[in-house]
Amino acid sequence: MAAAARGALSATYMQSKRSLAQLLVAVPCFSGRHLSHCASSSSNSSTSNLEGTARGLQEFVKWHNGGGLFHMTASVDPSVCIEVGAIVHQDAVLEADVHIGSGSVVGPSVSIGQTTKMGYNAVLSNCSVGLSCVIHNGACIGQDGFGFFVGNDGKMAKKPQILHVRIGDHVEIGANTCIDRGSWRDTLIGDYTKIDNLVQIGHNVVIGKYCILCGQVGIAGSVTIGDYCTLGGRVAVKDHVNISSKVRLAAKSCVTKDIVEPGDYGGFPAVSIHQWRRQSASLRRFVR
């Protein structure tokens, strides 16, 4: 019985190998040859799609330093490291000593300056990144902003999001932070600005140099923030608000109107820090 079982198993195994060989003959490898082995029953459109896919895959080449893939039209310095699982798309520019972590994607025509480091599973599209920046795991930069037209009937149509994100030099962007591309002006992040994890920066936002944005900050679209500003954790900024340079916002503040004078602010809505402290003290006395 055991011998019969082994014989049956061997026959099944050999039949599987023959079926697999036939399948490999019928389905072409992406070697640039015409797809002459496709089954005759396949439609012309399916064949055309497979040919296009074959040509597209053929244009991506394994990078010698790290094992990732890059498009043949990309400009990649020989010192760049593209780790296994990362991919660099067409017309991207990667300067010297850039490091792209596994699972990350550098989209078409993205440019990255010297010595910039990308972590794992980060995605760049429609953007440029300056020198010596750090982009941590899971960050997404350059996707469409959140903008819609709402008609009288309640139906929504997407506003065009066609511009870019421009990131300066020595910028650090935390894990799972999202920065949207512009619609009527580029989204800008100034030199030496540091952004914590889980920060949302909307479309058309302009942030100056040497700013600090702590975790879970949310900045709505078309906000302008000056230089040397600090936003504490969970600060929210309303759309189309302007914030002067050298402003510090306490955690969980909400900016609903322009701040034109440097200084410390807090509360909801944000007011000068001294006024906010008086309001808080008055509220405690009232509760008692």
Side-chain angles (χ1 to χ4, degrees), residues 46-171:
S46 298
T47 302
S48 177
N49 290 337
L50 285 173
E51 288 176 343
T53 303
R55 287 193 296 270
L57 290 176
Q58 189 180 16
E59 293 174 350
F60 285 91
V61 181
K62 184 176 180 180
W63 184 244
H64 66 89
N65 184 12
L69 298 178
F70 76 103
H71 196 272
M72 294 175 64
T73 63
S75 176
V76 183
D77 188 272
S79 62
V80 169
C81 177
I82 305 174
E83 292 185 2
V84 171
I87 186 167
V88 176
H89 283 265
Q90 60 267 28
D91 299 318
V93 178
L94 276 60
E95 297 184 4
D97 298 315
V98 168
H99 188 107
I100 309 297
S102 294
S104 291
V105 177
V106 178
S109 302
V110 169
S111 64
I112 303 178
Q114 295 181 14
T115 67
T116 289
K117 311 295 183 187
M118 283 180 63
Y120 305 132
N121 298 315
V123 179
L124 303 185
S125 57
N126 310 300
C127 69
S128 63
V129 182
L131 310 176
S132 301
C133 295
V134 178
I135 301 172
H136 289 284
N137 303 340
C140 294
I141 301 171
Q143 63 282 340
D144 284 357
F146 189 73
F148 298 90
F149 297 107
V150 181
N152 294 330
D153 57 358
K155 295 182 179 179
M156 291 180 287
K158 187 177 180 65
K159 292 182 180 179
Q161 310 287 314
I162 58 175
L163 298 180
H164 298 85
V165 177
R166 308 294 182 192
I167 297 172
D169 300 336
H170 304 280
V171 173

Side-chain angles (χ1 to χ4, degrees), residues 12 27 44 60 97 176 226 228 273:
T12 302
V27 179
N44 292 334
F60 285 91
D97 298 315
N176 296 320
Y228 302 97
I273 200 71

Side-chain angles (χ1 to χ4, degrees), residues 3-18:
R6 284 196 298 270
L9 182 60
S10 178
T12 302
Y13 174 70
M14 293 304 295
Q15 180 61 35
S16 299
K17 287 186 67 176
R18 284 193 294 270

Side-chain angles (χ1 to χ4, degrees), residues 185-265:
R185 68 178 179 184
D186 287 342
T187 302
L188 302 178
I189 310 296
D191 296 345
Y192 292 94
T193 286
K194 310 300 181 184
I195 302 172
D196 198 0
N197 303 333
L198 296 169
V199 171
Q200 163 64 27
I201 298 175
H203 55 186
N204 315 314
V205 170
V206 174
I207 298 175
K209 61 184 179 181
Y210 291 96
C211 292
I212 297 174
L213 278 61
C214 298
Q216 299 185 8
V217 162
I219 302 176
S222 304
V223 168
T224 301
I225 298 175
D227 303 330
Y228 302 97
C229 291
T230 300
L231 279 62
R234 292 192 176 184
V235 165
V237 183
K238 179 182 175 291
D239 58 301
H240 296 276
V241 163
N242 296 323
I243 298 177
S244 170
S245 296
K246 298 182 179 179
V247 166
R248 297 193 303 176
L249 289 160
K252 297 186 179 181
S253 302
C254 181
V255 180
T256 59
K257 59 183 180 180
D258 292 353
I259 296 177
V260 298
E261 295 291 335
D264 296 344
Y265 295 81

